[in-house]
Each structure stands twice: as C-alpha cells, then as structure tokens.
Amino acid sequence: AQSVTQPDIHITVSEGASLELRCNYSYGATPYLFWYVQSPGQGLQLLLKYFSGDTLVQGIKGFEAEFKRSQSSFNLRKPSVHWSDAAEYFCAVGLPGTYKYIFGTGTRLKVLA
Amino acid sequence: SQTIHQWPATLVQPVGSPLSLECTVEGTSNPNLYWYRQAAGRGLQLLFYSVGIGQISSEVPQNLSASRPQDRQFILSSKKLLLSDSGFYLCAWSVGVGPYNEQFFGPGTRLTVL
C-alpha cells in the first residue's frame, strides 16, 4: 500500500542551525512529491515539489529538497533556520493516474532563539 | 487570483447534532476539490474528493458525507456527530488531471464535538 513516513514527530533546532526533515515514501513508481508547511491553526502552504528532472529542487523561504530514488526519500533541508520557520511540515505524494494525495503525519519544528 | 474560503472557522457541537461545513473557491473553474481531516499526530486524512459537480469520491467509510452542488462549492455534512468527528477540517483545491499540480488549502475549521 502507498504510504508516506515522516519519522521525526518533533524536531528542535537553534536559530541559525541547519535543518533536515526526513520523508520516505512507499510506492511502486516515482510519485509526485511535495513539501507543505502549516503555521498553527492555519491551512497548508506549498514549499516545493518534484516531478522529474533535477533531483535537487529549490523552494520558497530558502528551503530545498533532494529526491533519492534508491532510498525512496525526499528530505527537506534549510542551511540556516529562522525563528519564523517554526511550524509543522508535511511531506506528501501525489499518486500518478489518480486525483489523490497521501500525506505524512507531519514534523513539528521548534526553533530556539 | 484564486481564493479559497471555509466557514465557520471554529465550531463546537454536541454529540448527535448535525454538521454542515462549507468551502468555496474563487478565481478558478472546474477545480478538483478535497476535504481532509487533521487529527493531532495523524497527519491529513483524505475524506472526500470531487472532480466535478455532483461527483463525490469517498475515501474513508465514516459518519460524514460530502456534496458539490456548484462548480466551486464543496460541503461536508453529518446527520449525527460523534465524538470521534472532532478535528481540524481542511478544504483544498487543485486543477488538472492527475496529482502533479499542487493543492491550495483553505484556512480550516476547528470542530469540537462534546
């Protein structure tokens, strides 16, 4: 069955430190991959997406993600975290040939001043 | 530009009462529409999606139903709420065939069933 795993429920980093949020998916082929961010009590905003081509994709707010087919992973990174990055981050896959998306359980990021 | 509205923003309802949550999209035509429920620590669960007026696909058997009476209107309903229906409900839209386009999310409705 298709699934998305975000193994880290909570992550705490200091402001200015680097960040990596992990995402692994289970699917028979390469799905469409997304990272979204959700501020408390709000909807989700797209950070970046991957469909094909260059496996390193750039997004908004200084985020990037790398697709690794061999590891079925799509990890999100940021070289220097800002306090305003504190939020919940969701990895999602879109299933080709359908209208459906599957979301991971999310990683809540806390940023220490 | 496109905008998505959801209301109400918060709702507190007793067990056994009915429910109606509304979502409307502006600035686009023929959107794919989605209802998700977000429970703490469980991510987003797809409840329903619709690719056209009157076309509803249900993903999870449950106490809820959805309707799409107009192209840009999506309604989530229940005849009798259960405690387990509490959660944060998100409406989203996308365009095109297949999920290669991003979804745009509404601000959500916080539902508490007491």
Side-chain angles (χ1 to χ4, degrees):
Chain A
Q2 306 97 345
S3 65
V4 178
T5 301
Q6 293 181 248
D8 303 305
I9 298 174
H10 297 279
I11 283 185
T12 300
V13 300
S14 299
E15 191 171 19
S18 63
L19 172 70
E20 183 170 30
L21 303 182
R22 295 182 290 166
C23 172
N24 292 92
Y25 66 89
S26 174
Y27 187 67
T30 301
Y32 304 114
L33 297 161
F34 305 84
W35 274 101
Y36 289 87
V37 60
Q38 183 183 33
S39 298
Q42 302 297 316
L44 278 69
Q45 180 186 21
L46 180 73
L47 287 174
L48 46 77
K49 58 187 178 183
Y50 172 80
F51 303 141
S52 64
D54 191 348
T55 56
L56 184 64
V57 293
Q58 302 297 320
I60 63 171
K61 304 184 180 185
F63 285 91
E64 65 178 25
E66 185 173 13
F67 168 62
K68 293 186 177 180
R69 184 188 307 274
S70 61
Q71 298 177 20
S72 297
S73 69
F74 189 55
N75 293 350
L76 182 71
R77 302 194 293 245
K78 186 169 185 178
S80 177
V81 171
H82 189 264
W83 64 266
S84 61
D85 293 325
E88 190 156 20
Y89 292 80
F90 291 92
C91 181
V93 302
L95 305 181
T98 78
Y99 293 92
K100 298 193 290 185
Y101 303 78
I102 297 176
F103 283 78
T105 52
T107 297
R108 186 171 297 278
L109 174 66
K110 182 177 179 180
V111 180
L112 301 177
Chain B
S1 63
Q2 301 91 352
T3 309
I4 179 169
H5 302 280
Q6 280 188 251
W7 64 91
T10 60
L11 191 59
V12 180
Q13 292 285 98
V15 170
S17 64
L19 173 73
S20 180
L21 301 182
E22 190 162 343
C23 171
T24 59
V25 180
E26 297 177 356
T28 188
S29 298
N30 303 315
N32 306 317
L33 296 172
Y34 301 81
W35 278 112
Y36 290 90
R37 178 168 58 206
Q38 184 178 15
R42 300 186 63 181
L44 274 70
Q45 180 185 35
L46 178 61
L47 301 176
F48 302 94
Y49 68 93
S50 171
V51 301
I53 296 174
Q55 300 179 53
I56 307 295
S57 296
S58 175
E59 288 299 296
V60 182
Q62 60 210 315
N63 184 43
L64 302 169
S65 62
S67 61
R68 185 171 178 173
Q70 300 179 44
D71 181 46
R72 291 170 288 178
Q73 184 185 29
F74 205 25
I75 298 172
L76 184 69
S77 304
S78 174
K79 293 182 179 179
K80 290 185 177 182
L81 283 169
L82 306 172
L83 287 173
S84 58
D85 292 324
S86 293
F88 191 52
Y89 288 82
L90 289 160
C91 181
W93 68 272
S94 68
V95 294
V97 177
Y100 43 79
N101 289 319
E102 68 181 276
Q103 291 184 300
F104 297 90
F105 285 82
T109 295
R110 174 77 58 190
L111 172 65
T112 302
V113 182
L114 302 175

